[in-house]
Amino acid sequence: NAGVTQTPKFRVLKTGQSMTLLCAQDMNHEYMYWYRQDPGMGLRLIHYSVGEGTTAKGEVPDGYNVSRLKKQNFLLGLESAAPSQTSVYFCASSYPLTGEWVTQYFGPGTRLLVL
Amino acid sequence: KNEVEQSPQNLTAQEGEFITINCSYSVGISALHWLQQHPGGGIVSLFMLSSGKKKHGRLIATINIQEKHSSLHITASHPRDSAVYICAGDSGGSNYKLTFGKGTLLTVNP
């Protein structure tokens, strides 16, 4: 199993350009998450999904959109990139267990630089 | 709002030393996750605990629910343990969202 994979690994954008980050998981997990990681700050949740066709806003959703058309894929879109979106983006997935806490499995990350 | 505070932010040790990283969390968090991130690398889950203590190899994680405090210990530290260690609070809700600490950068010198 590949686990959680992210595409691309690194990207440079100019201000105003758009792009889509792809997250794929082969563990049949219901829940998927997009985080951003910035120096001096903890991981912050951008958007998450509790199942195919559903998405919800996290802590820092502005400037991002997401889609979960297939259970195994979770896409993060930047419609008009801004320098403030320069960050490392991590995708994660987990399988919900009623009444228990579960482990999140993380992808390798995507480094995005917006000039 | 759930909060998680880690200390120290940076930690330098000599190979072989016993290491402790601390995490305090707010009311509403009922379990703690400890994660490891190597420089330039991905994030790996080490432990999830809601009570007591867990051990895996040289790593030990403890949690005190009354004091809302958790610790990660590394015995006989090695340079390959150099990484950022992150604690994350889990409120156990139906969406399984985590609240992350800022991380502790551990450097183990040979």
Side-chain angles (χ1 to χ4, degrees):
Chain A
N1 289 347
V4 181
T5 58
Q6 291 183 232
T7 310
K9 288 185 171 53
F10 176 70
R11 183 77 183 268
V12 179
L13 287 180
K14 294 182 180 178
T15 297
Q17 286 185 320
S18 64
M19 78 164 293
T20 300
L21 282 69
L22 170 64
C23 175
Q25 52 93 6
D26 60 3
M27 297 175 282
N28 202 34
H29 284 172
E30 289 291 336
Y31 287 18
M32 296 186 75
Y33 313 80
W34 274 109
Y35 296 97
R36 59 178 290 172
Q37 185 179 43
D38 301 294
M41 305 187 77
L43 286 156
R44 292 183 293 169
L45 182 65
I46 304 170
H47 286 279
Y48 65 101
S49 168
V50 301
E52 181 179 318
T54 71
T55 62
K57 292 181 180 180
E59 185 185 351
V60 288
D62 293 342
Y64 305 95
N65 57 75
V66 288
S67 65
R68 183 100 181 267
L69 299 179
K70 292 183 179 181
K71 185 177 183 178
Q72 63 267 33
N73 295 338
F74 195 27
L75 278 63
L76 178 71
L78 286 73
E79 288 189 351
S80 179
S84 61
Q85 294 177 304
T86 292
S87 188
V88 181
Y89 292 87
F90 286 95
C91 175
S93 70
S94 66
Y95 192 85
L97 295 173
T98 302
E100 295 191 25
W101 305 272
V102 297
T103 297
Q104 290 189 13
Y105 295 84
F106 287 81
T110 294
R111 291 184 177 275
L112 176 64
L113 174 62
V114 183
L115 301 174
Chain B
K1 181 182 175 183
N2 291 335
E3 292 183 338
V4 173
E5 296 283 340
Q6 275 186 249
S7 63
Q9 287 187 344
N10 294 280
L11 183 56
T12 300
Q14 289 299 122
E15 184 172 355
E17 287 184 355
F18 180 85
I19 288 162
T20 296
I21 299 170
N22 297 300
C23 182
S24 298
Y25 57 92
S26 63
V27 171
I29 289 172
S30 52
L32 245 289
H33 299 252
W34 282 100
L35 307 111
Q36 180 191 57
Q37 183 177 24
H38 282 285
I43 298 169
V44 175
S45 180
L46 297 173
F47 296 104
M48 191 286 296
L49 64 167
S50 57
S51 65
K53 174 175 154 179
K54 286 190 176 179
K55 183 173 190 280
H56 181 71
R58 294 180 295 104
L59 300 177
I60 303 166
T62 63
I63 189 168
N64 184 318
I65 297 168
Q66 285 72 30
E67 294 184 5
K68 296 186 178 32
H69 181 269
S70 177
S71 294
L72 176 68
H73 305 287
I74 305 175
T75 62
S77 59
H78 190 276
R80 64 175 175 265
D81 296 325
S82 298
V84 174
Y85 292 85
I86 302 167
C87 68
D90 191 337
S91 59
S94 59
N95 52 31
Y96 299 95
K97 289 193 289 183
L98 300 178
T99 302
F100 292 86
K102 294 181 181 179
T104 295
L105 175 59
L106 171 65
T107 303
V108 181
N109 294 317

